[in-house]
Amino acid sequence: MLEKVEHRLITEDGRRIDGRALDEMRPVRIEAGVLDRSDGSAYIEMGKTKIYAAVYGPKEAHPRHLAQPHKAILNCRYHMAAFSVEGRKAPGMTRREIELSKVIREALESIVILEEFPRSAIDIFIEVIQADAGTRTAGLTAASLALADAGIPILDLCAGIAVGKVEGRIVLDPSEEEDKRGEADMPVAMAPRLGSIVLLQLNGRMTSSEFTEALNLAKKGIGVLYELQRKALGKKFATFTPAGEE
Ligand code: CDP
């Protein structure tokens, strides 16, 4: 029987299957204020990964017994559209989506000043329109921008990116094929001005020196995303026309 031979993911001269260098992220597009019906919104594209985030609130918390007397509660839903992955995904919330919603919510809780809005709720929706790896970090990057777009007080924006280990090399922003066939995948998110890591997960194995290299590479990518977030906000508010002055 013929065995299926899988192609190499990294060439002799250190290029990846899509032509990127090891420390190169995919083409990124970040926009703020892209949806009219929500209080704040953002769109992110990282290569073939495409995600919208929308924020509603602060508004009165429902059901009432969930309200916190001294702060707002943050509700977060990370969801993949049925058509976002190869082969249709069941439209409901899977265990993975429930877990990612929690991980992203916890990351956002470290940047939102929840004490400003006692007894309130802020709802965040992350809709993955097309998935090609790195959706939790891209979703978080978009959600933090959507919160800022909604005018919700935050201590800092946060941005995230994954780093991976592929054929023994540390790579920035793995694609789905690299993620699936690689040895390790490590999503990282930071609030750069606060100097905080707000999300860090590791699937697979790395040595401690590879881990340090990966974290530094993630930091570099996050710096780029953070600048793009700030630019997107600047662009949105530079063109903002107050109601009645249109
Ligand atoms: O998206 P992220 O890398 O944060 O999470 P993951 O669980 O490591 O998933 C990696 C990729 O696998 C996703 O981005 C999708 O491209 C793909 N995936 C899929 O095809 N079908 C699913 N039900 C879940 C993930």
Side-chain angles (χ1 to χ4, degrees):
M1 203 171 88
L2 274 178
E3 254 187 53
K4 195 178 164 217
V5 181
E6 292 203 309
H7 56 268
R8 293 279 308 270
L9 293 174
I10 297 181
T11 61
E12 297 288 315
D13 59 350
R15 291 269 153 195
R16 295 153 70 179
I17 30 175
D18 53 12
R20 282 185 289 158
L22 303 179
D23 63 350
E24 191 178 337
M25 63 171 78
R26 295 174 285 182
V28 188
R29 190 173 135 204
I30 297 182
E31 282 174 49
V34 289
L35 303 170
D36 287 345
R37 307 262 193 262
S38 59
D39 295 314
S41 61
Y43 174 72
I44 186 165
E45 213 173 275
M46 295 193 68
K48 287 189 256 176
T49 288
K50 300 179 182 189
I51 303 175
Y52 281 96
V55 168
Y56 293 87
K59 57 197 179 58
E60 202 175 319
H62 279 292
R64 287 260 181 97
H65 71 267
L66 291 179
Q68 299 276 316
H70 304 298
K71 61 175 190 169
I73 52 168
L74 215 55
N75 298 312
C76 178
R77 192 183 84 139
Y78 160 101
H79 179 252
M80 280 180 146
F83 50 81
S84 66
V85 296
E86 209 165 299
R88 182 177 175 276
K89 182 203 146 275
M93 289 287 280
T94 59
R95 273 189 62 149
R96 173 180 170 277
E97 286 163 305
I98 293 167
E99 189 199 323
L100 291 189
S101 300
K102 175 177 181 284
V103 169
I104 294 171
R105 171 175 57 76
E106 285 169 349
L108 292 170
E109 277 171 352
S110 48
I111 59 158
V112 181
I113 309 175
L114 295 168
E115 292 72 20
E116 294 252 343
F117 306 105
R119 313 203 63 76
S120 312
I122 299 167
D123 293 344
I124 302 161
F125 295 92
I126 296 168
E127 281 294 323
V128 179
I129 303 302
Q130 189 167 280
D132 188 62
T135 61
R136 78 194 62 193
T137 43
L140 174 58
T141 304
S144 112
L145 186 58
L147 283 164
D149 181 51
I152 289 169
I154 49 175
L155 296 166
D156 194 4
L157 286 162
C158 67
I161 196 160
V163 271
K165 183 174 163 186
V166 174
E167 294 176 357
R169 313 289 291 272
I170 300 300
V171 299
L172 185 61
D173 188 24
S175 64
E176 188 177 305
E177 186 170 7
E178 289 173 328
D179 183 0
K180 289 225 163 93
R181 289 180 47 206
E183 298 96 81
D185 173 42
M186 186 170 91
V188 184
M190 296 177 183
R193 225 168 41 137
L194 292 179
S196 311
I197 295 177
V198 295
L199 183 151
L200 175 68
Q201 298 177 299
L202 172 61
N203 298 309
R205 279 194 349 197
M206 286 185 192
T207 64
S208 60
S209 69
E210 283 168 345
F211 175 78
T212 307
E213 184 189 340
L215 198 58
N216 285 333
L217 195 54
K219 200 170 174 179
K220 188 181 134 185
I222 286 167
V224 173
L225 293 171
Y226 188 68
E227 281 316 308
L228 290 173
Q229 284 175 311
R230 287 161 52 102
K231 265 197 196 136
L233 270 184
K235 193 171 158 203
K236 160 80 194 296
F237 288 105
T239 54
F240 175 74
T241 316
E245 290 179 22
E246 297 97 300

